[in-house]
Amino acid sequence: MMKAKLKLASFALLASVMVFTGCGSPGTNSNTSNAGQPSQGAAEKTESKQVTQLTFSEPVRVLSFAPLYVAIEKGYLKEEGFDAKIVSGGGGAQVSATLISGQAQFGVAAPQAALKSMGVGKETTVIQSINSSLTYDIVLSNKYLEKKGLDPTKPLSLKEKVEALKGATMATDNIGDSGDVFMRYLMELYGQNPDDLKVVKLAGRGPKIGAMKEGVIDGGINSAPFSLEASDKNVGAQWIKTMDVPEYSNMTWELIFTMKDYAEKNEDQIVKVVRAIGKGIEFTRENPEEAASLIAKKYFDGTDEKLIQEGLKQLNGTFVGHGEMTQEAWENAVKPMVEYSDLTGLPKEVDTTPGKFWTNKYIEEAFKN
């Protein structure tokens, strides 16, 4: 099996990111409910109100994280005694760095970010999985579709769709990130050479759509509402919905995680956090239209609320239970990352046994009644 020749010095990247604070780095988005400067070190308590201030760090603003936003806007976190802030931007390495440095208490990101700290001897604990499938959309530009004579409305096998990516220039947020790795691994799964796919760095949905319009790239990979926005602007169309790929349909995806020592010292708090977000998962699954109305303006300002509604409906099947995880789902998530360890910086083997770096015990305690 051929591998990509790109090399990523992930440890160096993580070390360099750690010099930034969670809100002062380029790309930070503070257009969030209760967004602001992250708390330093352990969560702070406001004595007058007995409210615990928590900071969540996310790599980018996507609909996969919607249950967290809903948990804030519906007041579920507030009911548990928390004043929640979100700092956004900088990719998965930034999320890991903010936790390691104590700038945030919780990370919200893909498995690669949650496990990244392994490389620097820091242990994290994954306490919840927001999604049970890979939520990426692989989008091709209208120009590329026309050049290749491809029709996105025509029924094709996954093998045929993957073959169509051969020779394409595809954008992801960062070289070596989850989008890069899972797209390359998909090429391998369906008998294609990953080296025949050119992957370039272009962060954010807007820049990708603009580059597709100008013909600079042939497509890109990102989570919802990426494909909906590309289609709405008549620039591109969804080509592959990764949750429809069998190998990606049962997978721990966007996660809630914290440092292991923090979890051990704050078990009661962790139970409350997963209960609030678990309620957010349930509400988003059962009320996608109302959830979209709650989060559209504050979290996706400039994006039509109807696209947010449609995006949440498309993701509906990934919001399962209250965020419980399984070893099989973890094995499916880890396999591509260790296959491309030269890009991800993860070790060649990762022990996915329950209790090693992930646990359902906090969810079980939160919803035992």
Side-chain angles (χ1 to χ4, degrees):
M1 224 172 352
M2 296 190 65
K3 291 189 178 181
K5 306 241 174 159
L6 293 168
K7 295 199 187 255
L8 179 68
S10 60
F11 299 159
L13 173 62
L14 179 57
S16 65
V17 173
M18 285 174 63
V19 303
F20 296 102
T21 62
C23 65
S25 61
T28 296
N29 184 343
S30 60
N31 185 25
T32 304
S33 175
N34 295 324
Q37 297 287 339
S39 306
Q40 296 286 336
E44 298 174 356
K45 289 188 177 180
T46 304
E47 296 299 333
S48 60
K49 297 182 180 180
Q50 291 298 306
V51 173
T52 302
Q53 297 181 344
L54 296 179
T55 298
F56 292 82
S57 178
E58 65 176 8
V60 68
R61 184 59 44 80
V62 289
L63 278 178
S64 305
F65 300 150
L68 171 61
Y69 311 149
V70 168
I72 294 174
E73 298 309 313
K74 283 291 290 182
Y76 296 145
L77 280 160
K78 187 175 181 180
E79 288 171 2
E80 298 289 351
F82 302 123
D83 177 17
K85 304 176 183 179
I86 299 176
V87 290
S88 182
Q94 172 74 1
V95 173
S96 298
T98 56
L99 263 67
I100 292 171
S101 64
Q103 296 297 312
Q105 289 78 48
F106 297 94
V108 192
Q112 188 170 323
L115 301 180
K116 181 76 80 172
S117 60
M118 285 182 175
V120 292
K122 302 292 185 180
E123 293 187 76
T124 54
T125 296
V126 180
I127 58 176
Q128 201 164 25
S129 179
I130 299 178
N131 308 105
S132 62
S133 303
L134 190 64
T135 61
Y136 282 134
D137 288 332
I138 296 178
V139 172
L140 292 179
S141 71
N142 290 341
K143 291 182 178 181
Y144 184 82
L145 291 169
E146 184 178 355
K147 181 175 73 172
K148 293 288 187 177
L150 301 171
D151 182 355
T153 66
K154 181 180 177 181
L156 293 175
S157 68
L158 271 171
K159 189 176 189 302
E160 291 173 312
K161 288 192 171 188
V162 173
E163 285 175 352
L165 299 178
K166 183 176 180 179
T169 297
M170 303 292 286
T172 188
D173 286 345
N174 284 294
I175 300 300
D177 68 0
S178 297
D180 186 357
V181 168
F182 283 98
M183 194 158 45
R184 291 178 185 281
Y185 191 72
L186 181 63
M187 294 285 283
E188 286 193 10
L189 285 174
Y190 289 87
Q192 298 301 305
N193 183 352
D195 289 337
D196 290 336
L197 182 72
K198 183 178 180 182
V199 182
V200 298
K201 175 182 176 180
L202 194 58
R205 303 187 308 275
K208 290 185 183 74
I209 291 172
M212 282 192 288
K213 183 177 182 180
E214 296 299 320
V216 176
I217 58 174
D218 299 315
I221 184 167
N222 217 323
S223 290
F226 179 45
S227 66
L228 294 169
E229 291 172 322
S231 178
D232 185 61
K233 296 179 185 300
N234 198 30
V235 170
Q238 184 182 77
W239 186 244
I240 296 175
K241 191 177 181 180
T242 57
M243 66 181 72
D244 292 337
V245 178
E247 294 81 358
Y248 295 163
S249 62
N250 177 25
M251 177 184 292
T252 52
W253 186 227
E254 310 291 17
L255 310 167
I256 306 295
F257 58 101
T258 187
M259 300 308 295
K260 183 178 179 179
D261 59 350
Y262 186 89
E264 291 173 346
K265 294 174 183 177
N266 298 277
E267 291 195 1
D268 290 345
Q269 182 192 98
I270 305 297
V271 170
K272 293 176 181 179
V273 168
V274 299
R275 181 161 51 229
I277 296 175
K279 289 179 180 178
I281 293 172
E282 184 177 10
F283 184 89
T284 304
R285 178 177 65 246
E286 297 181 356
N287 306 279
E289 292 186 358
E290 188 176 347
S293 179
L294 280 170
I295 68 176
K297 186 168 181 58
K298 286 187 178 180
Y299 298 85
F300 298 92
D301 192 24
T303 299
D304 192 320
E305 186 176 317
K306 291 181 179 179
L307 298 184
I308 303 299
Q309 289 181 7
E310 182 60 30
L312 289 181
K313 289 177 181 178
Q314 289 183 7
L315 293 173
N316 189 269
T318 75
F319 301 129
V320 176
H322 296 112
E324 295 85 353
M325 299 165 280
T326 67
Q327 185 170 359
E328 180 183 1
W330 264 110
E331 289 172 352
N332 291 339
V334 165
K335 189 173 181 179
M337 294 188 291
V338 298
E339 175 74 16
Y340 282 89
S341 60
D342 55 333
L343 291 176
T344 64
L346 295 182
K348 287 290 185 181
E349 294 184 7
V350 175
D351 187 351
T352 59
T353 304
K356 288 292 184 179
F357 61 83
W358 67 273
T359 180
N360 287 327
K361 71 176 185 178
Y362 301 111
I363 298 175
E364 291 167 357
E365 177 65 22
F367 293 98
K368 65 182 179 181
N369 296 324

